[in-house]
Amino acid sequence: MLERFSDRINELEAIIRDIAIDITTGAIVERLPPKAIWEKAGERVSMITALTRELKEYLFIIKPERVPTVRRTVNSINERLEKFREFLFKESLSPLDSSRKALDELRQALVDISDFLSFCKEARAKPSPVIGEVLQLKGTRAVGVSEELWARMERLLELIRSLQSAYRDVVGITSRLEGQIEALREDYENLLLSFKREKEIRE
């Protein structure tokens, strides 16, 4: 698993390096119309989205205690990439202004992705202790380990994955509840303000 994780890190690193070079050397510039920018960068941006999504799933296993941070980081990257796409495809009276805004989002996304890659490399070098031990045993399967012990290790790995999946679900539910609570709080404050205004008018 760590080998595939490393391959995906390398792939993502190569893609953002290529895009950064194109922006720096002028292959992708703000003077290009939106369609031309998408033709040059669109396929690679789509690959970035797919790779960050896959790396996120690996990080959920390798660093389960950092699930909320990883989720927020990847969501932020994808939001910037989506804005990049929206600016390029949105009808505008000033296409070059759309190109400029799109490339601003892309540049910031590249910065965020670089930080994300640094975290991926750190997680690869130092996975969570229990996960690291399980992956090492699973990868090496040392001579002399009994079938019974190996079966127990396999069951432990499956249990860890199951607990991680449950944890991700809890985090997602908590996030949605926080959003609903905030919406209810805003509704309450608006109603309270309306009540105060009506009271002042009557007085």
Side-chain angles (χ1 to χ4, degrees):
M1 188 182 80
L2 286 179
E3 183 178 350
R4 185 174 176 83
F5 182 55
S6 294
D7 290 342
R8 294 299 175 265
I9 291 174
N10 294 336
E11 288 178 32
L12 181 57
E13 197 166 34
I15 291 172
I16 67 167
R17 187 188 305 116
D18 287 345
I19 293 179
I21 290 172
D22 283 350
I23 292 175
T24 304
T25 59
I28 302 176
V29 294
E30 296 168 358
R31 294 187 300 276
L32 288 174
K35 183 179 180 181
I37 291 177
W38 180 255
E39 288 175 353
K40 288 179 175 294
E43 184 177 350
R44 285 177 288 179
V45 166
S46 298
M47 290 174 66
I48 288 173
T49 300
L51 286 169
T52 53
R53 185 183 300 116
E54 186 173 352
L55 286 170
K56 177 185 69 174
E57 295 302 320
Y58 284 121
L59 287 171
F60 283 171
I61 296 173
I62 296 170
K63 283 283 190 182
E65 71 276 11
R66 301 296 298 277
V67 164
T69 300
V70 172
R71 190 191 300 276
R72 284 195 300 271
T73 300
V74 173
N75 286 345
S76 177
I77 291 170
N78 288 337
E79 284 173 6
R80 289 196 179 278
L81 295 178
E82 183 58 30
K83 286 181 180 178
F84 165 75
R85 185 182 184 283
E86 287 176 0
F87 279 126
L88 295 181
F89 284 89
K90 182 173 64 175
E91 292 291 334
S92 173
L93 297 176
S94 178
L96 293 186
D97 185 54
S98 295
S99 294
R100 179 185 60 77
K101 291 179 180 178
L103 287 179
D104 284 344
E105 292 293 341
L106 182 57
R107 290 188 185 98
Q108 187 55 55
L110 293 181
V111 173
D112 294 343
I113 295 166
S114 294
D115 293 339
F116 177 66
L117 280 170
S118 295
F119 178 75
C120 287
K121 292 175 183 178
E122 177 187 338
R124 178 181 59 187
K126 296 180 180 179
S128 296
V130 173
I131 304 300
E133 291 293 332
V134 172
L135 291 174
Q136 184 177 7
L137 284 171
K138 186 175 178 63
T140 58
R141 190 159 186 175
V143 177
V145 176
S146 69
E147 290 296 326
E148 180 182 357
L149 179 57
W150 185 251
R152 290 173 63 186
M153 290 301 300
E154 290 282 357
R155 287 196 297 273
L156 175 60
L157 182 59
E158 288 303 317
L159 177 59
I160 291 171
R161 287 173 174 164
S162 176
L163 290 173
Q164 288 170 341
S165 177
Y167 178 68
R168 291 197 296 271
D169 290 341
V170 170
V171 170
I173 292 171
T174 302
S175 178
R176 289 194 295 273
L177 285 175
E178 288 175 350
Q180 291 173 4
I181 291 171
E182 180 63 21
L184 288 172
R185 185 187 65 78
E186 291 179 358
D187 287 344
Y188 171 78
E189 291 179 350
N190 290 334
L191 287 171
L192 183 61
L193 182 60
S194 298
F195 173 77
K196 289 180 179 179
R197 286 174 177 170
E198 288 186 7
K199 186 177 178 182
E200 289 172 356
I201 292 173
R202 290 174 183 175
E203 292 177 349

